[in-house]
Amino acid sequence: MPLTHDTDIYGFAGQRIRVRRVLMGMSEKHLAEATGISLYMLRRYERGEGNITMDKVDSIAATLDVPIGYFFSET
């Protein structure tokens, strides 16, 4: 099913961030510190409650060693 609404996109991207972080065995605190994001905002991103800017997505993708598209694609 295609993602059409901003809330769907942010929620999906947030879920993908959390899944990748957990698969890598990385703590929330470590990812937040490595990307310059507050722990509070990272938690909001992972729950799909905060709009993630592309510069933050880029930083998170680099830290989690995935392409940016990973957060917006189901494959």
Side-chain angles (χ1 to χ4, degrees):
M1 172 159 74
L3 302 173
T4 56
H5 296 89
D6 288 346
T7 54
D8 292 342
I9 293 169
Y10 295 124
F12 183 77
Q15 289 173 353
R16 300 283 286 183
I17 291 169
R18 181 175 177 78
V19 165
R20 179 65 180 172
R21 178 181 60 74
V22 170
L23 285 173
M24 292 183 69
M26 186 180 294
S27 69
E28 291 174 324
K29 182 179 179 182
H30 183 262
L31 180 58
E33 289 175 353
T35 57
I37 299 169
S38 71
L39 186 56
Y40 171 78
M41 283 309 299
L42 177 61
R43 288 179 177 158
R44 286 183 50 97
Y45 294 157
E46 287 190 352
R47 290 190 308 252
E49 296 174 356
N51 297 346
I52 308 171
T53 61
M54 286 309 293
D55 65 318
K56 295 298 182 192
V57 172
D58 185 48
S59 179
I60 292 168
T63 303
L64 296 177
D65 196 30
V66 292
I68 291 173
Y70 168 85
F71 301 116
F72 304 102
S73 173
E74 294 184 44
T75 58

